[in-house]
Amino acid sequence: MSFYQFYLAVKSRAKLVLFLTLAFFIVALGVSLVLPKNYTATTSMVINYKGIDPVTGLSMQAQLMPGFMATQMEIIASHAVALKVVKNLHLDEATVIQNQFRAAKHENTTLEDWLADLLVKGLKVKPSKESSIIEISYTGSDPQFSSAIANAFADAYQETSLRLKVEPSKKASEYLLSQAKVYRDKLESAQSKLSEYQQQSGLTSITENLDVENAKLNQVANQLIAARAQATESSSRQSSALSQGDSSPDIASNPIIQNLRMSLAQTSTKLAEVSNKYGVNHPQYLSVAAELDKLKAQLNLEISRLGASVSSNANIYNQSVTKLTQELAAQKQKVLDLNRSRDQLAVLQRDVESAQLTFNTVNQRLNQTSIEGKANESDISILNPAIAPEAYSSPNVLINSALGIFLGLLFGILIAFVLEVKNRKIRSIEDLYEFADIPVLALINNKSIAHKKLNFFPIK
């Protein structure tokens, strides 16, 4: 069936289509007038929310959190918020509602849950586009009741949002409190180890005694160098004294030796004079000879004493070199031990500083989350509270009437089409071609007769 054939079929049954359209219109209008009137009250809220991790303290703008507004809508329309509305308004204490609940015979639910489910059915939550405003609308048969329920849902949502915000902070505070105790114990343990090591090593700081011990080490090293030079010189003088005797510089330059040699020379000269003047048996010669022997013995004795003194000095210097060498080795070991002690002390101090830093960080987060857990201010503000509407929102007579006209027209056209399919009639040339299968020579209608003109068609 072509569109033209369909048009002719509907046109032929125009009265039926108009009748059904009018009937649907009357029914829609009557139903709209008979249905109970419902009133819709709306509350507008502004959400200024920043997500803060209670442990790390990192914040994120709500706009950056996917599905944030959808989550808030789900919270508003949740059963938990509806239960809070029931409790805040004491709806479960109303006698009428209790009688309705008993008449409904709900055995598997409580009165509060039943009321909450009923309230959610009349609730509508709508977010504004590209803003942080959410509208809460409630539709009921009484305007005052509708506005009260809408405002109650807004208040209950504020309380629930605050609870959802505070509870993670409280739990985080408990966790951080346990962690603070753990890190405080670690800090006390590190401080105890540091104090014990300081008592054992005798160090109170890393730089203590280091400069003094290094200076002492340098001093001992310099003394050892000087002592080795003196020991080398003394050994050389000792060798010279042992090999050269009174010709060695230490003995020859000695004033006593020089005096004895002068006295010995004078006595030798005197002995020669006495020998020439007197005989060898003369008492004076014997006296001078005895004095000369005495001087020689004294000279030899002094030479021996000086040689022994030179050897003694060499031994003393060698002993000093040995002692200083031992002192230098001991001082080196002391400096090395001090360096190791300093390194160990530095490690222990770093452990204390690290434990202190970690404890301070955890304690700071603990204080912050404790404050957040005690917060009583919500990030949600009521922009426009709901007021009792003066005009009812449903049923909408105009829309229902238009919908009745549309449905009636649609149903009438559908009935006309069904009737035409069941009882086809020839209404056009296409119908003759399709059903009679006879040639059409001309088309005669009122317009053709008036103009005395016929429309001829070719024979197919």
Side-chain angles (χ1 to χ4, degrees):
M1 181 182 294
S2 64
F3 178 77
Y4 182 67
Q5 291 174 313
F6 176 74
Y7 167 73
L8 292 177
V10 174
K11 183 179 178 182
S12 66
R13 293 179 172 82
K15 293 182 179 180
L16 175 61
V17 173
L18 292 176
F19 174 76
L20 292 175
T21 302
L22 182 61
F24 270 79
F25 169 72
I26 294 173
V27 171
L29 181 60
V31 170
S32 299
L33 295 176
V34 172
L35 286 176
K37 295 178 176 57
N38 293 321
Y39 298 85
T40 301
T42 302
T43 300
S44 299
M45 295 183 303
V46 180
I47 301 177
N48 297 317
Y49 182 79
K50 291 183 180 180
I52 299 178
D53 190 292
V55 178
T56 63
L58 298 178
S59 61
M60 178 179 293
Q61 293 287 344
Q63 291 79 2
L64 301 180
M65 299 173 63
F68 171 75
M69 296 299 289
T71 302
Q72 302 309 306
M73 293 172 58
E74 293 289 338
I75 294 175
I76 295 173
S78 65
H79 186 77
V81 174
L83 278 177
K84 190 173 289 293
V85 172
V86 173
K87 294 179 180 179
N88 292 342
L89 297 180
H90 305 287
L91 297 178
D92 54 335
E93 299 177 3
T95 306
V96 176
I97 295 178
Q98 292 177 356
N99 294 333
Q100 291 178 354
F101 177 73
R102 283 192 291 267
K105 296 181 179 180
H106 294 283
E107 297 179 355
N108 298 327
T109 184
T110 62
L111 175 60
E112 292 81 2
D113 292 332
W114 177 70
L115 275 174
D117 293 336
L118 287 180
L119 292 178
V120 171
K121 291 179 180 179
L123 185 69
K124 183 179 180 181
V125 184
K126 179 182 178 182
S128 299
K129 294 182 178 179
E130 299 180 357
S131 69
S132 299
I133 297 177
I134 291 182
E135 294 181 351
I136 300 178
S137 301
Y138 185 80
T139 303
S141 58
D142 182 78
Q144 299 293 338
F145 181 77
S146 298
S147 61
I149 294 298
N151 291 327
F153 264 97
D155 295 336
Y157 170 59
Q158 281 184 315
E159 296 177 9
T160 303
S161 177
L162 181 61
R163 178 179 59 82
L164 294 176
K165 174 186 175 183
V166 170
E167 281 186 356
S169 297
K170 290 182 178 179
K171 293 180 180 179
S173 297
E174 296 176 359
Y175 168 74
L176 291 173
L177 180 61
S178 63
Q179 293 299 307
K181 293 180 180 178
V182 172
Y183 286 111
R184 183 172 61 247
D185 293 340
K186 290 184 178 180
L187 176 60
E188 292 176 354
S189 176
Q191 289 176 340
S192 177
K193 291 180 180 179
L194 176 62
S195 177
E196 182 179 356
Y197 184 78
Q198 286 177 337
Q199 292 178 359
Q200 293 177 355
S201 61
L203 295 176
T204 58
S205 65
I206 296 177
T207 59
E208 185 180 10
N209 298 333
L210 182 61
D211 295 336
V212 175
E213 297 300 333
N214 283 330
K216 187 175 181 180
L217 178 64
N218 294 330
Q219 182 180 1
V220 173
N222 293 331
Q223 290 177 356
L224 178 60
I225 293 173
R228 284 178 177 173
Q230 291 175 352
T232 302
E233 182 182 359
S234 298
S235 297
S236 176
R237 291 166 59 186
Q238 181 184 12
S239 299
S240 176
L242 293 176
S243 60
Q244 297 179 7
D246 58 348
S247 299
S248 65
D250 290 330
I251 297 176
S253 61
N254 189 275
I256 297 175
I257 298 298
Q258 291 178 357
N259 292 332
L260 288 175
R261 283 181 175 177
M262 290 177 62
S263 299
L264 185 61
Q266 292 175 358
T267 304
S268 297
T269 301
K270 184 178 179 180
L271 181 61
E273 291 178 355
V274 172
S275 176
N276 291 331
K277 187 175 181 180
Y278 305 104
V280 294
N281 294 323
H282 192 274
Q284 192 172 358
Y285 177 81
L286 294 174
S287 176
V288 174
E291 184 180 358
L292 182 61
D293 293 336
K294 182 179 178 181
L295 289 173
K296 288 180 179 181
Q298 189 175 358
L299 178 60
N300 292 330
L301 180 62
E302 193 65 28
I303 290 173
S304 299
R305 187 185 65 79
L306 289 175
S309 177
V310 171
S311 299
S312 177
N313 287 336
N315 293 332
I316 291 174
Y317 284 126
N318 289 330
Q319 293 176 359
S320 178
V321 168
T322 302
K323 182 178 179 181
L324 289 174
T325 301
Q326 294 175 353
E327 290 182 1
L328 181 63
Q331 188 63 25
K332 285 182 178 180
Q333 187 63 38
K334 187 175 182 180
V335 172
L336 292 176
D337 294 339
L338 183 60
N339 286 330
R340 283 193 292 269
S341 299
R342 288 174 60 249
D343 294 340
Q344 183 64 26
L345 183 64
V347 171
L348 294 176
Q349 286 185 344
R350 283 195 297 269
D351 292 342
V352 172
E353 293 173 357
S354 177
Q356 183 70 52
L357 179 61
T358 305
F359 175 72
N360 291 340
T361 302
V362 174
N363 199 38
Q364 182 180 2
R365 287 298 308 143
L366 174 61
N367 294 333
Q368 182 176 353
T369 53
S370 297
I371 295 174
E372 292 175 356
K374 298 177 182 177
N376 55 1
E377 295 183 0
S378 175
D379 295 322
I380 301 167
S381 303
I382 297 178
L383 181 62
N384 295 316
I387 58 176
E390 297 179 356
Y392 60 87
S393 59
S394 65
N396 193 319
V397 177
L398 182 61
I399 294 178
N400 292 342
S401 299
L403 183 60
I405 293 174
F406 174 75
L407 292 177
L409 182 61
L410 183 64
F411 186 72
I413 292 174
L414 180 62
I415 293 298
F417 175 75
V418 172
L419 294 176
E420 182 67 22
V421 170
K422 290 184 177 181
N423 186 15
R424 293 295 300 273
K425 295 182 179 180
I426 296 176
R427 304 181 188 280
S428 63
I429 298 173
E430 288 82 356
D431 293 334
L432 287 174
Y433 286 145
E434 184 176 351
F435 297 103
D437 194 17
I438 58 177
V440 178
L441 300 178
L443 177 64
I444 301 175
N445 52 29
N446 295 333
K447 185 176 180 181
S448 300
I449 295 174
H451 293 82
K452 297 180 180 181
K453 183 179 179 180
L454 297 177
N455 294 323
F456 293 93
F457 295 89
I459 299 175
K460 292 185 177 180

